[in-house]
């Protein structure tokens, strides 16, 4: 692909780079913040990266990098032929450049780079592209040119040097790509008109109207997302649709889970002028956002289940448990999503729903899943997992799993409670039948009153003892209703913790992460790497054995696991969310490190 | 007593020097193949020292003990049968007592029990350890132990064997498959023996004599009458003349040749009885016999999938990635802890069919062209630096010790010269060819 080649050429070019011999100082003084302004119009998308210098500096000096470089995995990887060649190439390149690749990256990639992507000149062809790179100081390109230009003849005619109109240097590569270097600028493209128009835009600094920033898609994105980000991608969806001649996002999806999670977002994207992605990196965290524009409440009837009515809109949130491994919450109009499945999903998937309902019938006591059960369950589903202490055993399972719990928000609490209790009892009954056949421990149903909440739970007929108990002892199903929320938990301990949290939450509502002040968060996922590290460490013996099974030495295995635990403990919780606003829909990935 | 001429001890001086060929024959039969270093050591140490090392318990290295403990615990912790298989495969490869592991496999096949019905990694592990403890020891103790083993009692429906409704499974198998063989008992013997085993149950995962369900009335088995219980039946089986002969047949087929002569079986059976079923004594005599080393008994046994795979990996691969090996063995038809029936793997010629031969060739291809079972061992890769004739000679010595002849050498050499590529690529090509030869399927 030409874009890929352009990026590759940029890298190659920087190694073999040249500098500007005439000054273009005026540009350096008055250039706008975003280089997108210089891209010729007609682009279907742009990607701009800025202020990488401080970030590269931070990565270079970070403890995490040192940890990786000292890790047995890296030492092992260095034995591979490919990496050995890469390291040798790095040493040669650094020798020619007279600086480390870190320093090189900070100097030449540390300011701004933008890539513009254009539709192919011929139908069915590959997209074209333009790359603009700006460095902090013109002198740095001069120094690089002085160092490397004597080596260009060694390229054996694959790179020709010329003098472009307007000054600077013109490099023409064997495959047709051209690069012009002036002052602080490097412009690369294979398409001559694009290259020339970009150079004109650079010269016509004052008349910004020629740039890509004047397109409606960019303007709307800049208004909604701003332009000060480490990286910003803008895809002109309207232009793409226009070029394709039809909507390019399928109206029906081929995966039910994907539909439940992102069906509304994708439908909004189909009519959005742009898709914008931004990356912001701060001292200890980062945010990656993907945004499409439009009013979600104006989606067609089939897609309305993704947008709950405003007055009843539930925010996706996870109860503030003390040490959760992860939490996931999704607010949808499940009953109507299920009813609309023929309009939302590909026809080939639909028979599986019928099979699913048939299989489920044993648990539902004659109720219809679609018409009776889903409407009872309400519009928010939450899943949490929490490490267990196994206090109810005289020992511990050999593999320690977290406890899992599903929380249903009940639309009709009393009716739903009876039905879900019946489902719970049937699940335990079926589990017992299977356990008897497979020689696993069986349960007896019991109940208790915990914090004024009636809890139904399964307990073992005989309390097991020992530290290498079968994996099945991670499970001791329990269920309870707290207010209008029903808990299905894989262990009594998990169920009790949730009851504690929900009871305290009733007194003073809290969430594990703040709900955004603007918009409605309809999907939320949170994972704690530190808790994951603790849990993995509890199972270190099994992980160590798995490494031995793969032929690793005991020493190598222990070092690898230690590195993994250390790495996870360097991280802060990772979250993913989907938030609807009146004029856009935003997906956000947030993570951090200590 | 007059010494039997057929069990005249092997005399290296009288039968040609103790060379790498003899060492390779002994190591192939008494363990799962060998490494180049093991072959060198056995060749240099001589026959007596090598055999004694195989028979006497050797101390395990600390590294082995730690890895063994870790893999064993992981199998218990996860309850995953594949982990248990890997634990045993690891022992077969790395234990300092490889004959013990080979014998453990021999008895695992003899007392074939499958996890498909037992469905418990701890029970299968306990049975395996019971077998290992007695593998080269007292067969009487082993047979008694197996009759009270939890996995075996589940496998043969011990809990269904009740006073007023005896279940004949265990009684039938102990006579037909464990001690006597078909034709050496009557249906009446089985029915009476089944009554003696009534009440031998499993309770909370352990052997339990359920006295309420034991038939303590008089039984008549093999013409003898008494208030027999299960232990008595085991002793009665051991006392039958058919018992040592039955064991002799199984030992000879596994370790010497597929169709042992009647007169040799009779002699071996006598030695088993005279040794009071002490297996180490019997095996020492067997491995020391001229019969074992006889030219006609070399390369007479078709390698089982375990012999083939473990032996090849032992020679070729370092380190070994075990999960792929587990799947491979199941595909090749020898899935440990999951024998196909109470009869175990019949083996012999049945190991080879048109499809299994293709699978064996595919194994060679995958082993040489991918790293899915592990990379080539450094020692083998060093061979790439050797001259062509030296390389071919060395590979033949390691892989085809008893099948070395000029014709094969010439073909291998011709192939080597015809192969294009780097020296390592040529080595890999040659290895693949050698591992695919029909001669390599025999030991």
């Amino acid at each position: 692909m030409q874009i890929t080649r352009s990026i590759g050429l940029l890298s190659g070019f920087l190694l073999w780079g040249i500098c500007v011999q005439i000054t273009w100082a005026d540009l350096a003084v008055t250039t706008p913040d975003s280089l997108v302004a210089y891209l010729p119009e007609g682009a279907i998308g742009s990607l701009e990266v800025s202020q990488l210098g401080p970030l590269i500096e931070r990565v270079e000096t970070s403890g995490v990098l040192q940890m990786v470089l000292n890790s047995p995995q890296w030492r092992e990887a260095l034995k591979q032929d490919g990496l050995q060649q890469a390291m040798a190439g790095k040493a040669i390149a650094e020798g020619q450049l007279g600086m480390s690749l870190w320093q090189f990256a900070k100097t030449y990639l540390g300011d701004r780079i933008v890539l513009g992507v254009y539709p192919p000149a011929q139908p069915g062809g590959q997209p074209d592209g333009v790359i603009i790179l700006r460095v902090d100081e013109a002198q740095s390109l001069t120094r690089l040119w002085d160092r490397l230009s004597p080596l260009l003849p060694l390229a054996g005619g694959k790179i020709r040097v010329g003098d472009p109109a307007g000054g600077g240097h013109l490099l023409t590569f064997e495959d047709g790509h051209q690069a012009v270097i002036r002052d602080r600028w490097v412009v690369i493209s294979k398409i001559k008109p694009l290259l020339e128009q970009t150079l004109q835009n650079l010269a016509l600094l004052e008349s910004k109207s020629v740039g890509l920033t004047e397109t409606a898609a960019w303007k709307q994105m800049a208004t909604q997302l701003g332009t000060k980000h480490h990286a910003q991608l803008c895809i002109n969806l309207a232009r793409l649709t226009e070029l394709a001649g039809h909507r390019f996002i399928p109206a029906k999806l081929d995966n039910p889970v994907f539909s439940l999670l992102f069906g509304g977002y994708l439908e909004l994207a189909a009519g959005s002028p742009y898709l914008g992605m931004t990356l912001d990196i701060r001292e200890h965290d980062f945010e990656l956002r993907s945004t499409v524009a439009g009013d979600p409440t104006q989606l067609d009837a089939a897609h309305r289940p993704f947008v709950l009515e405003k007055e009843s809109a539930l925010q996706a949130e996870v109860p503030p448990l003390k040490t959760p491994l992860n939490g996931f919450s999704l607010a949808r109009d499940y009953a109507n999503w299920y009813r609309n499945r023929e309009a939302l999903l590909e026809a080939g998937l639909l028979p599986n729903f019928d099979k699913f309902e048939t299989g489920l019938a044993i648990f539902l006591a004659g109720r219809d899943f679609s018409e009776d059960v889903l409407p009872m369950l309400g519009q928010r589903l939450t899943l949490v997992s929490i490490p267990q202490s196994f206090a109810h055993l005289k020992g511990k399972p050999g593999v320690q799993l977290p406890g899992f719990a599903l929380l249903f928000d009940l639309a009709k609490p009393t009716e739903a409670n009876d039905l879900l209790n019946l489902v719970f009892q049937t699940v335990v009954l079926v589990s017992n039948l299977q356990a008897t056949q497979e020689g696993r421990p069986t349960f007896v149903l019991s109940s208790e009153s915990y914090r004024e909440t009636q809890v139904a739970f399964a307990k073992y007929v005989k309390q097991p003892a020992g530290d290498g108990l079968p994996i099945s002892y991670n499970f001791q199903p329990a269920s309870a209703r707290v207010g209008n929320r029903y808990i299905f938990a894989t262990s009594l301990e998990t169920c009790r913790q949730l009851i504690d949290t929900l009871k305290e939450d009733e007194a003073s509502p809290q969430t594990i992460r703040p709900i955004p002040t603007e918009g409605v968060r309809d999907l939320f996922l949170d994972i704690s790497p530190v808790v994951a590290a603790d849990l993995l460490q509890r199972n270190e013996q099994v992980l160590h054995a798995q490494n031995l099974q793969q032929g690793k030495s005991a020493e190598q295995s222990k070092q690898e696991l230690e590195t993994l635990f250390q790495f996870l403990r360097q991280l802060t919780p990772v979250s993913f969310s989907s938030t609807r606003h009146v004029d856009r829909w935003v997906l956000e990935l947030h993570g951090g490190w200590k | 007593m007059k010494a039997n001429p057929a069990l005249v001890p092997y005399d290296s001086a009288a039968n040609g020097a103790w060379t790498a060929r003899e060492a390779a024959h002994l190591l192939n039969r008494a363990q799962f193949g060998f490494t180049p270093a093991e072959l060198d050591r056995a060749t240099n140490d001589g026959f007596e020292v090598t055999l004694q090392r195989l028979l006497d318990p050797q101390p395990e290295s600390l590294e082995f003990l730690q890895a063994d403990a870790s893999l064993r615990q992981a199998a218990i912790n996860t309850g995953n049968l594949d982990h248990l298989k890997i634990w045993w495969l690891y022992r077969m490869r790395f234990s300092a007592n490889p004959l013990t592991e080979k014998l453990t496999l021999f008895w695992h096949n003899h007392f074939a029990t499958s996890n498909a019905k037992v469905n418990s990694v701890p029970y299968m592990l306990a049975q395996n350890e019971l077998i290992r403890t007695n593998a080269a020891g007292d067969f009487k103790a082993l047979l008694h132990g197996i009759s009270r083993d939890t996995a075996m009692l589940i496998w043969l429906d011990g809990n269904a064997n009740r006073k007023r409704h005896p279940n004949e499974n265990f009684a039938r198998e102990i006579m037909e498959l464990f001690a006597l063989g078909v034709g050496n008992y009557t249906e009446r013997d089985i029915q009476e023996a089944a009554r003696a085993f009534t009440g031998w149950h499993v309770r909370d995962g352990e052997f339990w004599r359920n006295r309420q369900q034991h038939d303590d009335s008089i039984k008549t088995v093999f013409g003898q009458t008494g208030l027999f219980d299960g232990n008595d039946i085991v002793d009665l089986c051991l006392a039958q003349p058919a018992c040592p002969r039955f064991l002799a047949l199984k030992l000879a087929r596994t370790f010497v040749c597929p169709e042992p002569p009647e007169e040799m079986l009779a002699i071996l059976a006598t030695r088993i009885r005279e040794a009071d079923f002490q297996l180490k004594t019997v095996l020492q005599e067997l491995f020391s016999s001229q019969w074992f080393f006889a030219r006609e008994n070399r390369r007479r046994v078709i390698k089982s999938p375990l012999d083939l795979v473990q032996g090849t990996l032992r020679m070729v691969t370092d380190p070994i990635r075990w999960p792929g090996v587990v799947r491979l063995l199941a595909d090749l038809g020898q899935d440990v802890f999951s024998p196909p029936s109470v009869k175990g793997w019949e083996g012999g010629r049945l190991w080879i069919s048109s499809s299994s031969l293709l699978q064996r060739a595919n194994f060679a291809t995958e082993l040489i062209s991918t790293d899915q079972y592990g990379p080539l061992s450094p020692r083998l890769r060093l061979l790439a630096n050797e001259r062509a004739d030296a390389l071919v000679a060395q590979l033949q010595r390691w892989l085809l010790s008893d099948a070395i002849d000029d014709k094969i050498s010439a073909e291998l050499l011709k192939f080597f010269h015809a192969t294009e590529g780097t020296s390592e690529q040529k080595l890999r090509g040659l290895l693949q060819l050698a591992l695919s030869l029909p001669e390599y399927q025999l030991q």
Side-chain angles (χ1 to χ4, degrees), chain A residues 224-269:
Chain A
Q224 293 186 326
L225 310 184
T227 56
K228 294 188 182 303
H229 305 283
H230 273 105
Q232 186 154 18
L233 170 76
C234 175
I235 297 176
N236 191 332
L237 296 176
R239 177 109 172 92
L240 272 177
T241 306
E242 182 188 321
L243 288 167
H246 56 80
R247 60 179 282 167
F248 59 93
I249 292 177
K252 294 184 179 184
L253 301 182
D254 61 0
N255 183 309
V257 176
F258 196 74
S259 167
L260 256 179
L261 295 175
F262 303 115
Y265 184 87
L266 288 175
E267 187 60 19
L268 195 66

Side-chain angles (χ1 to χ4, degrees), chain A residues 438 462 541 544-545 549-551, chain B residues 70 74 77 119 204 319-320 322-323:
Chain A
E438 295 170 7
K462 186 176 179 186
Q541 195 282 327
H544 175 61
Q549 292 173 356
Q550 291 296 338
Chain B
S70 188
N77 284 355
N119 203 24
D204 288 338
I320 299 170
W322 293 106

Side-chain angles (χ1 to χ4, degrees), chain B residues 190-404:
Chain B
I190 289 174
Q191 290 160 8
E192 292 289 284
R195 289 173 52 220
F197 283 110
T198 51
W200 282 37
H201 288 179
V202 173
R203 188 187 195 190
D204 288 338
E206 292 181 358
F207 172 68
W208 174 48
R209 284 177 201 268
N210 184 349
R211 297 193 186 283
Q212 296 298 317
Q213 290 296 338
H214 179 62
D215 180 348
D216 54 5
S217 60
I218 289 174
K219 297 107 185 168
T220 300
V221 181
F222 305 133
Q224 295 191 50
T225 301
L227 293 170
F228 299 139
D229 70 359
N231 286 328
D232 299 318
I233 300 300
V234 173
D235 287 336
L236 284 170
C237 287
L238 288 164
Q240 295 300 300
C243 185
R245 196 213 170 269
F246 182 65
L247 288 186
L249 176 65
K250 282 213 155 183
L251 286 169
R253 277 185 176 165
T254 302
F255 292 106
V256 185
C257 60
E259 291 165 358
E262 248 340 290
E263 66 270 24
M264 297 309 296
L265 291 179
I267 294 162
L268 192 57
T270 304
R271 296 301 302 134
I272 291 171
R273 173 70 70 199
E274 287 173 356
D276 196 23
F277 293 98
Q278 297 303 311
L279 294 162
K280 181 180 172 184
T281 306
V282 174
L283 288 166
Q284 179 145 23
E285 289 188 31
L286 185 65
F287 288 137
S288 303
S289 71
Q290 195 168 320
W291 183 39
F292 175 76
F293 280 102
R295 176 62 59 187
E296 64 271 20
N297 288 333
R298 309 233 188 143
R299 296 216 167 256
R300 284 287 307 282
V301 177
I302 295 172
K303 286 179 182 173
S304 70
L306 265 164
D307 280 316
L308 175 79
V309 173
Q310 284 278 26
T312 307
L313 295 176
R314 201 177 190 110
M315 175 62 75
V316 173
T317 311
D318 181 26
I320 299 170
R321 296 187 180 127
W322 293 106
V325 180
V326 169
R327 289 190 292 274
L328 172 71
L329 286 166
D331 290 344
L332 289 173
Q334 197 170 24
D335 196 9
V336 291
F337 297 112
S338 303
S341 72
V342 287
K343 292 181 179 175
W345 298 280
E346 292 194 38
R349 285 186 175 278
L350 294 180
W351 285 129
I352 298 290
S353 65
S354 52
S355 65
S356 71
L357 205 54
L358 193 62
Q359 285 174 320
R360 286 176 179 227
N362 286 344
F363 161 58
T365 306
E366 289 167 355
L367 181 70
I368 300 306
S369 57
T370 73
D371 278 356
Q372 65 173 299
Y373 305 117
L376 287 191
S377 73
R379 177 153 185 187
L380 208 63
R381 290 176 76 168
L382 280 178
L383 274 188
N385 303 325
E386 297 280 344
R387 278 183 24 233
D389 52 349
L391 192 161
V392 167
Q394 191 64 286
L395 274 189
Q396 276 192 283
R397 179 171 174 266
W398 287 347
L399 299 172
L400 304 162
S401 46
D402 274 317
I404 297 176

